[in-house]
Amino acid sequence: MRVLPAMLLAILGLASPFGIDAQTYPSSATYPVQNSDGLGPGPDNRAFGAAVHASDGKLFAAVNNTCGELFTAIPTSAGVTPTSSTLCLTESDDIDATQVTDRANQFAFANGVVVIGTPNRDLKKGGADVWRWDNANGIQGPSALGSGDGRVGHMGTAAATSGGDVIVLGAPKDDSSKGAAYVFVDYDKDNAWTRVPGRLMDPNGAAGDEFGGVVAVHNGIGTGNGWIVVASLKSDSSKGAVHAFARSGTPGAYQWFHNQTLTPSSGSAPLGYGAGLAMTGRYLMISTRPSAVGETDGDAWGEVHYMAGPVAANRVLSVDAATAPTFVSDTGHWVRDAVLTASSSPSASSGACAVDGEIAVMGAVGAGDADGAAFVWRRQHATDTNAVKWNLETTLDSSAWTGAGTGWTFKGFGRAVAVNDGVVTV
């Protein structure tokens, strides 16, 4: 049996959600990374694809603990080399290799901005390198981000970006692992990033909670405009919690305030709530991964929340900015829409999740050399009951890959997923 580690990206086109055959998913194609260093399929590069992010028809994938690959043009058929660029950190020890072969939360990409967090930089104060890509100028950067406050928090353990002008970096080791998160903005979109005063924090955080271990942000147009969500994976005996921060103020002078704490809908939910975070302007997806808190993984389990209107006149600002206002207007709150669960023996949850439009994806990896899976849900209206619910439409596995040979297995399939404009990447 030929075993191929998770170093290939499976690109899967989705049928139109408006057609009768909305549940049909065409066969996928494989796209190995191509660059001068010879990185790509091979037993020496198990980190490739440990993180994947899709935005505006482009892909960004982790290559190893120092590099990522930005695919700016992806062919629609197999066997054609995609257009890509390799982006690497200047220091090879800014991220531990073991951090990337597991789950690469340090890698982020959206709207032309690439972020690689550097939690070990500057004696583990942390930081990030940032690149910006556009059609006119190509790749700009990297720009180096640092907290500037001297705190040893491993900032950059988790990274997120959206809208082309906001970056969030988690620092879960700050303050005896109580944790914190930092926000950087680039309103001129010239890759000159400025740190927003103050740090985001859990208002009821405790030592060991590791707030900031996973982060997400959505800065696009929509009802969820400006939201940041931060996980505290080890809070409440590792059950986990997710904290939602809403944006307040005017362009060029934004602040974020603690709006809401989300916890699992059931006491029997798997541990590690918040191990996966993904959001659009309307939906927030949260997945679990028990191994992220030292326990054994099981079936894929997650929740989808939707954005609803305000429930109170004001919310207390909960950051450590010296000039923070006492109250700001409430801009809405997140309401649980569905609990999503799925299993595919012998796969177990990878904690990976993605959401785009009304499509949600969760990943699961196989045991040993076994293949994993990616589960795809779509929010649909049931004509028989008039109910609107999330339906599990399909389970994607490596057997759909047109490039797979007889007897091949794909170790690690499902450990990272992305979805953008009707295309799922695994």
Side-chain angles (χ1 to χ4, degrees):
M1 177 181 292
R2 182 169 180 175
V3 178
L4 187 62
M7 298 167 296
L8 299 176
L9 302 183
I11 315 299
L12 300 110
L14 277 65
S16 166
F18 305 107
I20 295 175
D21 296 324
Q23 296 185 358
T24 301
Y25 290 75
S27 297
S28 62
T30 61
Y31 296 95
V33 64
Q34 303 287 331
N35 58 52
S36 59
D37 296 327
L39 298 173
D44 58 341
N45 186 16
R46 294 179 180 270
F48 186 82
V52 290
H53 298 276
S55 173
D56 300 327
K58 302 170 183 62
L59 284 174
F60 180 63
V63 172
N64 53 31
N65 63 308
T66 60
C67 299
E69 191 82 2
L70 178 61
F71 298 86
T72 54
I74 303 171
T76 57
S77 59
V80 180
T81 302
T83 301
S84 65
S85 300
T86 306
L87 308 177
C88 294
L89 301 175
T90 56
E91 299 292 335
S92 61
D93 58 355
D94 280 341
I95 307 175
D96 291 336
T98 54
Q99 293 173 311
V100 176
T101 54
D102 182 28
R103 275 293 307 281
N105 290 324
Q106 303 89 352
F107 291 74
F109 169 68
N111 308 110
V113 175
V114 172
V115 186
I116 304 180
T118 57
N120 294 347
R121 181 173 291 172
D122 193 15
L123 300 177
K124 298 192 176 181
K125 296 180 180 68
D129 280 352
V130 184
W131 296 259
R132 183 182 289 278
W133 182 94
D134 61 49
N135 285 314
N137 302 303
I139 295 175
Q140 306 171 54
S143 295
L145 305 185
S147 66
D149 60 11
R151 303 181 70 91
V152 180
H154 298 217
M155 185 183 76
T157 296
T161 185
S162 186
D165 57 6
V166 176
I167 291 172
V168 183
L169 298 177
K173 298 300 183 181
D174 183 79
D175 192 12
S176 300
S177 295
K178 183 182 292 184
Y182 295 77
V183 183
F184 297 81
V185 293
D186 177 17
Y187 296 119
D188 294 331
K189 298 187 178 182
D190 58 1
N191 215 38
W193 297 85
T194 302
R195 185 189 147 193
V196 174
R199 299 170 299 145
L200 304 182
M201 299 181 297
D202 175 1
N204 300 304
D209 283 354
E210 296 193 3
F211 172 94
V214 186
V215 296
V217 58
H218 186 271
N219 197 40
I221 297 173
T223 54
N225 186 29
W227 286 83
I228 292 172
V229 289
V230 184
S232 295
L233 290 181
K234 295 185 178 179
S235 67
D236 193 14
S237 301
S238 294
K239 292 178 182 176
V242 173
H243 304 273
F245 295 81
R247 191 176 67 184
S248 176
T250 57
Y254 286 126
Q255 291 264 23
W256 278 262
F257 65 94
H258 189 276
N259 176 279
Q260 190 176 2
T261 298
L262 303 171
T263 56
S265 57
S266 169
S268 61
L271 299 181
Y273 183 80
L277 294 174
M279 65 191 312
T280 66
R282 186 179 180 188
Y283 296 109
L284 165 63
M285 189 170 185
I286 304 171
S287 62
T288 60
R289 187 187 178 210
S291 63
V293 293
E295 301 297 329
T296 301
D297 291 330
D299 293 345
W301 193 99
E303 295 178 344
V304 178
H305 294 71
Y306 68 87
M307 171 52 55
V311 295
N314 297 291
R315 295 283 186 178
V316 177
L317 192 78
S318 184
V319 296
D320 62 354
T323 59
T326 304
F327 291 97
V328 291
S329 297
D330 187 357
T331 56
H333 68 292
W334 295 96
V335 176
R336 185 177 294 108
D337 196 32
V339 175
L340 308 181
T341 61
S343 62
S344 178
S345 181
S347 301
S349 172
S350 68
C353 68
V355 62
D356 184 54
E358 295 191 331
I359 298 171
V361 186
M362 280 198 292
V365 294
D369 291 335
D371 295 358
F375 307 103
V376 183
W377 288 263
R378 180 174 280 138
R379 194 173 192 263
Q380 294 175 318
H381 176 256
T383 56
D384 55 342
T385 63
N386 288 324
V388 177
K389 60 182 180 180
W390 291 86
N391 294 315
L392 179 61
E393 289 200 319
T394 191
T395 298
L396 306 175
D397 58 48
S398 61
S399 64
W401 290 20
T402 57
T406 302
W408 283 20
T409 62
F410 294 84
K411 187 175 181 178
F413 185 90
R415 66 174 169 172
V417 296
V419 59
N420 173 242
D421 195 23
V423 175
V424 174
T425 303
V426 181

